[in-house]
Amino acid sequence: MDVQRSAPPTHETTRRAARWIRAFLDWAPPAWEPRSALVRVLLGVGFFGFCVAATWVTLFGSPDAAIPASVEAYFRSGALPDGTPWIREHFAALYLPLLAIAVGVRFGVTFFGTLRHEKVTGERLPLGYLTTMMLTNVVFVYLPLAVMGAIGLGATLFGVGYEAGAGWIASVGAAVGAAIERSVPTLVTIPYPWPLVLAMIPAGLGYYGWHRLQHSWRPLWLLSHRAHHSMIHLVQPASLPASNPLAFLANTIPQALLIGTTTKLFAAEPMLLESMLWVVLSHTATEVFNHTEAVYRWTLGGPVRRFWFHFLGHGAWHQVHHSSASEHRLVNIGGGPFMLWDRVFGTFVDPPLPKPAMGLTGRPPVRFTPLRLALAGHLEMLQEFALNRSWRDRFLILLGPSSYVPPRAVSHLIAEP
């Protein structure tokens, strides 16, 4: 008896699958610009609600973060589970009001920066652009959380609880914190909060190194940071792909541990919670000025404002980092007061007037769709790994510098001319 065998896949099947994948990646929200005042108000309310949700995810999006656990414990019991005696005593009177002010500033700059974007910058801000970037944020936020969930499920196969697997970052952080407290000596005790202030210098170097690595190392650039620099309009919350939970933790936890180590040299115990609080507060209150194009000139105006934003390296000083001009390809990376580490390593520039155009260097044509912005780097690395047979090329594809282009390169984000 003859046995029917399924026919092997044909080139037509492959082409059909490729077309389906391209259509999936090229899906974009409808380009709709409503004229109705009521519809605009409703969209504004929805946009503001998204800002609230995005800010919440930025602050509390990871189940591993130390800060939400501490804040939750405080509201539940009225006491912090950790931290120095000073922060336990002054937490309610100091941190909570500062957090409320920081969130209020963030929402205000977001709302008015978006409302006045076209008037201040001279560039129209399409509703479709905002929708695209918001949907990109959704993918960037939940993809890492899905990875952490998968790790948790995998941990259960080896007899480890789900929470222990998904929360391995917190476990490692706690273990390192305990090791700092146990092993790092206190050389001399100085009054609070000066140990924390002194620690900001090495912490700034840590931030500078991490941010520069995001630009210079291929995996970090393609998988996370390139989408952040693809923005041609700096508005909130469109910039948040740089702040997905894993990237935020990869930046925040090493900074906190570095601060903890430094503070232990000048205090009885490491100020880990204070350092995390400082990082979150500064991120919440001032990051919004870094990625709101409409306030570029405002952050340069007036001696007080100019001094403050220059001291932090925020506002116009950071927005130059997003310039598409070739001379600004890798400048104002940040870290330390008055851009200290940029000055040390020769990457500092003063913000120019007029404001430069924003986007990738040279403003190449980018396929602005949510899935391409979020997944293009992943697809490029996988496809290039398969197409290039040399193991040297494969190593550089996965772990090489961001400037590396393999012999058989693939582009899923930059449109071909």
Side-chain angles (χ1 to χ4, degrees):
M1 179 186 292
D2 292 335
V3 178
Q4 291 276 341
R5 295 183 180 180
S6 59
T10 62
H11 290 298
E12 179 58 32
T13 303
T14 304
R15 283 194 292 268
R16 200 174 290 168
R19 284 196 298 270
W20 185 89
I21 292 173
R22 279 196 299 270
F24 181 67
L25 293 174
D26 287 334
W27 177 85
W32 178 50
E33 297 296 330
R35 296 182 180 179
S36 166
L38 176 60
V39 172
R40 288 184 176 277
V41 168
L42 292 175
L43 288 173
V45 171
F47 175 70
F48 189 77
F50 186 90
C51 295
V52 174
T55 301
W56 179 264
V57 169
T58 302
L59 292 174
F60 307 119
S62 168
D64 319 309
I67 292 176
S70 297
V71 173
E72 180 186 356
Y74 177 83
F75 283 120
R76 189 173 59 249
S77 65
L80 285 179
D82 48 13
T84 60
W86 191 95
I87 194 65
R88 292 187 189 190
E89 181 181 353
H90 297 90
F91 180 77
L94 180 64
Y95 177 71
L96 294 180
L98 286 176
L99 179 61
I101 293 171
V103 171
V105 168
R106 186 178 186 89
F107 289 163
V109 175
T110 297
F111 184 79
F112 289 107
T114 306
L115 190 67
R116 295 178 57 81
H117 180 88
E118 183 173 359
K119 182 175 182 180
V120 174
T121 67
E123 291 186 308
R124 181 172 166 270
L125 185 61
L127 184 63
Y129 174 85
L130 284 177
T131 309
T132 294
M133 296 307 293
M134 289 179 190
L135 292 174
T136 303
N137 292 336
V138 171
V139 179
F140 262 97
V141 166
Y142 286 104
L143 185 62
L145 293 180
V147 171
M148 298 303 291
I151 294 174
L153 291 175
T156 61
L157 301 177
F158 297 94
V160 182
Y162 175 85
E163 292 184 1
W168 67 271
I169 294 179
S171 302
V172 172
V176 175
I180 291 173
E181 188 167 3
R182 184 175 60 251
S183 306
V184 178
T186 301
L187 301 179
V188 60
T189 302
I190 61 176
Y192 195 97
W194 288 109
L196 196 60
V197 174
L198 290 175
M200 294 304 165
I201 303 299
L205 178 59
Y207 173 81
Y208 179 93
W210 167 254
H211 192 180
R212 185 156 185 169
L213 192 64
Q214 287 181 297
H215 283 265
S216 58
W217 194 35
R218 204 168 196 265
L220 289 178
W221 173 246
L222 291 181
L223 301 184
S224 174
H225 209 53
R226 182 176 62 173
H228 180 59
H229 279 267
S230 298
M231 297 180 299
I232 57 175
H233 306 292
L234 293 190
V235 289
Q236 287 285 352
S239 69
L240 289 178
S243 299
N244 67 62
L246 290 185
F248 182 68
L249 287 172
N251 177 25
T252 303
I253 290 179
Q255 280 196 78
L257 295 177
L258 189 58
I259 293 174
T261 303
T262 308
T263 53
K264 183 62 169 61
L265 297 172
F266 305 105
E269 56 184 296
M271 299 178 185
L272 292 172
L273 184 60
E274 286 94 325
S275 64
M276 292 284 282
L277 293 175
W278 165 254
V279 171
V280 171
L281 270 178
S282 60
H283 176 87
T284 306
T286 61
E287 181 273 338
V288 66
F289 293 97
N290 294 350
H291 303 107
T292 303
E293 209 171 341
V295 300
Y296 182 92
R297 291 184 68 98
W298 185 86
T299 59
L300 292 171
V304 175
R305 269 177 284 159
R306 189 178 184 90
F307 175 88
W308 177 245
F309 285 106
H310 189 188
F311 173 77
L312 294 174
H314 291 170
W317 279 267
H318 180 83
Q319 289 188 38
V320 177
H321 177 70
H322 284 268
S323 166
S324 62
S326 57
E327 63 268 25
H328 298 149
R329 189 185 63 83
L330 190 62
V331 299
N332 289 14
I333 296 169
F338 294 110
M339 314 289 287
L340 170 65
W341 297 110
D342 279 290
R343 296 176 188 274
V344 169
F345 293 106
T347 53
F348 173 79
V349 296
D350 277 313
L353 285 176
K355 176 189 69 63
M358 304 297 167
L360 294 170
T361 301
R363 266 203 176 186
V366 173
R367 297 183 176 106
F368 274 103
T369 67
L371 291 173
R372 284 197 181 273
L373 285 164
L375 302 177
H378 302 72
L379 295 173
E380 288 171 9
M381 291 180 70
L382 287 172
Q383 195 171 346
E384 287 172 348
F385 187 88
L387 290 174
N388 293 272
R389 299 295 181 175
S390 164
W391 282 105
R392 176 186 177 277
D393 290 331
R394 287 179 168 182
F395 175 82
L396 292 173
I397 286 167
L398 296 181
L399 298 171
S402 58
S403 58
Y404 175 71
V405 179
R408 301 187 68 180
V410 175
S411 176
H412 284 283
L413 182 65
I414 309 300
E416 295 181 2

